[in-house]
Amino acid sequence: MPMLHPHPSGSTDRITPGAVRVESESHVSITLFDDRSQLQQVVREYDTPLADGSGFTVTPDGVIVTATSIVQSERDARVYAANRVFAEYFKVKIPADFERHTISDPDLNIRLQACYPPRTQNSTCNATVSTTVTAYPYLQPPLPEGLKAEILYAGDSPVAPAILKVAPGGKGGLPTVPLGTVLGTAVESIDVMTLAGPPSAKAPPKLDTAHFEPPGSRSFKKEDQPKVDKLVAGGDSIGGAVIDDGKSEVVGLLAGGGSFPATVTPVEDIKSALVAAGVSARRGPVDVVYESALASYHNKLYAASIPVLQRVLTQRQDHPVAIEYLRIAQSKANTGEDAGTKKPSSAPVAKQSTGLSPWVWVAGGVVLVAALVAIAVPMLLKRRRGGNGSGGEPSLDNAAMVTSWPAQTEMFHGGIGTHPPIPHQPPGSDMSPPLGQAQLGQQPMQVQVGQMGTQKFCTQCGMRLGHAHRFCGFCGHASDMP
């Protein structure tokens, strides 16, 4: 079975507070003329339901959109009044409806036909009709008498939009619906919002789903068409808001009935009708706060949504959806269902093993041995290079041992193994320059040592040089000193 197009959860919550039930009634004043023996005038007044259906509010000051067939019905109230007055006066059986009838008495039948509109010079009846429209906004508690509505604009056909105006009352104005810009080609999944009677908390707006095929075409899928036709045939759904599930906006109204098939009047026609009536759609302060509350409520941040819902009710205390959502939020706040009080769940931490693999010990031992070797070898080399002198510096006593060049003995008059006389030095003094004190590019240091004459040192590593040596016996650096 193919997967149905998804209808987003909560996509209609922005729309339902603006639902309105619209009912129209005709007041007919009719005069029947009887001139058979003497002229008599029979005056009667009748109130008759004209049409009823649905609508929606588009401004907080009470501008309502519905279908023209709701306020200008195809049913002629003058026909209804003619049937009533003729039956009452002539004592004949004629149904009190909107159909034209005939009776068996030829003379009375002629008079009956002349009583039906339109009026001519031979008419036996004269009727005037006034229409009263009553709007029932979705409020709690509901308004038993509704609000009297003024007709600002009515279209040329029953499926055209009609614009009404009521006095809303309340400092925040009426809740409104978000009106879309255009019924675009991407619109496929829709909801039709209707009211079968004056709305209340116990009788909220009804929502029926349907789909356009192709998207944006205003033609319904074959499986949805019978359901839509049934809605229109009942009359209650005429003028109902058509909601785009994708954007949660009203993109049209459902119209039709009578000789007109079910159709969707697009939002472009609604906006044209508003312009003709001299008004434009806009949202109110109640809607702004309410939608802010919806954001927290639908994310299950119940505690956070409570003060915002309370702000909605300070502006419109009879806002039905805010009342219901506040009740639910208060019952769920700071419970396990409140996402704002849940602690973030942490991933389970794997238990670490306390035992170490034998290979870890082997690897650690290898690294330790390598570190010891790396430290010991340079120290041994430095010690061998520096001898037993303090700070690793070569002393005069073992100079012949450190230098491996045979000619080094030339600096000693006593030959190899004999120690030259060492001049008297102050206690703690050292004749040898500190290692590293001779820098590259500087002249070799000269030290006078008794009968040894001038002593040279390597400028690269600081070792003593033989008298005739031009190359250091330790590092091989060439001396530029003759």
Side-chain angles (χ1 to χ4, degrees):
M1 179 178 178
M3 191 172 182
L4 297 178
H5 190 90
H7 292 255
S9 175
S11 68
T12 57
D13 282 359
R14 300 177 67 204
I15 317 296
T16 51
V20 178
R21 168 75 173 180
V22 181
E23 297 179 355
S24 62
E25 180 182 76
S26 291
H27 178 79
V28 185
S29 178
I30 189 170
T31 302
L32 172 64
F33 302 100
D34 182 10
D35 59 352
R36 289 178 300 176
S37 58
Q38 61 181 2
L39 181 61
Q40 295 187 24
Q41 297 183 16
V42 181
V43 179
R44 296 286 190 273
E45 292 189 5
Y46 304 105
D47 290 319
T48 177
L50 184 63
D52 48 44
S54 303
F56 45 90
T57 309
V58 294
T59 68
D61 58 352
V63 175
I64 297 171
V65 175
T66 187
T68 295
S69 61
I70 302 299
V71 298
Q72 290 184 352
S73 175
E74 292 180 307
R75 300 185 297 180
D76 195 333
R78 294 173 299 175
V79 173
Y80 171 84
N83 290 333
R84 288 281 305 268
V85 70
F86 213 87
E88 293 173 4
Y89 181 75
F90 290 105
K91 308 301 180 182
V92 293
K93 291 184 177 181
I94 301 175
D97 57 17
F98 295 88
E99 301 294 330
R100 295 172 185 261
H101 300 281
T102 61
I103 55 179
S104 58
D105 189 319
D107 181 61
L108 290 182
N109 188 59
I110 292 173
R111 291 179 179 277
L112 176 60
Q113 302 307 316
C115 189
Y116 289 136
R119 181 175 179 179
T120 65
Q121 291 181 349
N122 299 323
S123 293
T124 57
C125 293
N126 181 27
T128 58
V129 180
S130 62
T131 300
T132 301
V133 180
T134 305
Y136 297 87
Y138 182 27
L139 301 173
Q140 182 61 32
L143 301 177
E145 303 299 325
L147 299 173
K148 298 302 179 183
E150 175 190 0
I151 302 175
L152 300 181
Y153 173 83
D156 297 331
S157 70
V159 299
I163 310 301
L164 313 177
K165 177 72 167 61
V166 299
K171 64 179 182 179
L174 289 175
T176 68
V177 304
L179 203 60
T181 304
V182 63
L183 177 55
T185 56
V187 178
E188 179 183 3
S189 173
I190 65 166
D191 288 294
V192 179
M193 180 181 68
T194 59
L195 287 164
S200 66
K202 295 182 179 180
K206 180 185 177 184
L207 295 164
D208 292 279
T209 62
H211 303 82
F212 288 139
E213 188 177 43
S217 65
R218 292 183 283 164
S219 297
F220 295 99
K221 287 186 175 182
K222 291 182 179 180
E223 56 267 31
D224 291 334
Q225 189 65 53
K227 175 171 58 177
V228 177
D229 290 339
K230 185 177 181 179
L231 290 173
V232 173
D236 295 332
S237 299
I238 297 176
V242 176
I243 305 167
D244 175 12
D245 273 343
K247 295 184 178 180
S248 299
E249 296 176 340
V250 175
V251 292
L253 62 86
L254 187 65
S259 59
F260 291 87
T263 185
V264 173
T265 300
V267 66
E268 295 92 325
D269 291 356
I270 295 175
K271 291 191 172 183
S272 297
L274 289 170
V275 172
V279 295
S280 59
R282 59 185 176 88
R283 309 300 304 281
V286 174
D287 306 309
V288 175
V289 182
Y290 169 68
E291 292 194 7
S292 176
L294 283 183
S296 297
Y297 181 85
H298 282 304
N299 284 317
K300 297 184 178 181
L301 301 172
Y302 297 115
S305 68
I306 289 175
V308 191
L309 289 168
Q310 290 173 336
R311 284 181 56 198
V312 175
L313 296 177
T314 59
Q315 298 186 19
R316 190 84 209 188
Q317 63 182 0
D318 50 5
H319 194 293
V321 185
I323 293 174
E324 177 64 12
Y325 283 179
L326 178 60
R327 182 189 66 81
I328 297 173
Q330 289 174 335
S331 66
K332 295 184 177 182
N334 302 318
T335 67
E337 296 184 65
D338 192 340
T341 60
K342 292 181 179 179
K343 296 181 179 180
S345 59
S346 58
V349 179
K351 185 177 179 180
Q352 295 182 353
S353 175
T354 55
L356 295 177
S357 172
W359 292 106
V360 175
W361 294 104
V362 173
V366 172
V367 172
L368 180 61
V369 171
L372 292 175
V373 171
I375 295 172
V377 170
M379 292 181 63
L380 291 174
L381 291 175
K382 184 176 180 180
R383 183 175 183 84
R384 178 177 296 179
R385 180 180 63 195
N388 294 326
S390 63
E393 297 171 0
S395 63
L396 292 175
D397 293 339
N398 54 13
M401 296 172 58
V402 172
T403 304
S404 59
W405 292 87
Q408 181 73 35
T409 57
E410 297 178 5
M411 63 180 292
F412 300 121
H413 298 286
I416 298 177
T418 60
H419 294 273
I422 300 176
H424 176 73
Q425 297 292 333
S429 64
D430 190 357
M431 296 188 308
S432 303
L435 291 177
Q437 197 171 22
Q439 301 296 327
L440 184 64
Q442 296 179 355
Q443 294 294 329
M445 298 183 64
Q446 299 179 359
V447 180
Q448 298 293 332
V449 187
Q451 299 178 357
M452 293 191 306
T454 300
Q455 179 64 55
K456 297 188 297 181
F457 294 89
C458 176
T459 59
Q460 180 70 20
C461 64
M463 293 296 295
R464 289 194 181 101
L465 299 178
H467 179 69
H469 291 179
R470 294 192 60 192
F471 296 92
C472 177
F474 186 76
C475 67
H477 178 69
S479 174
D480 52 1
M481 182 175 177

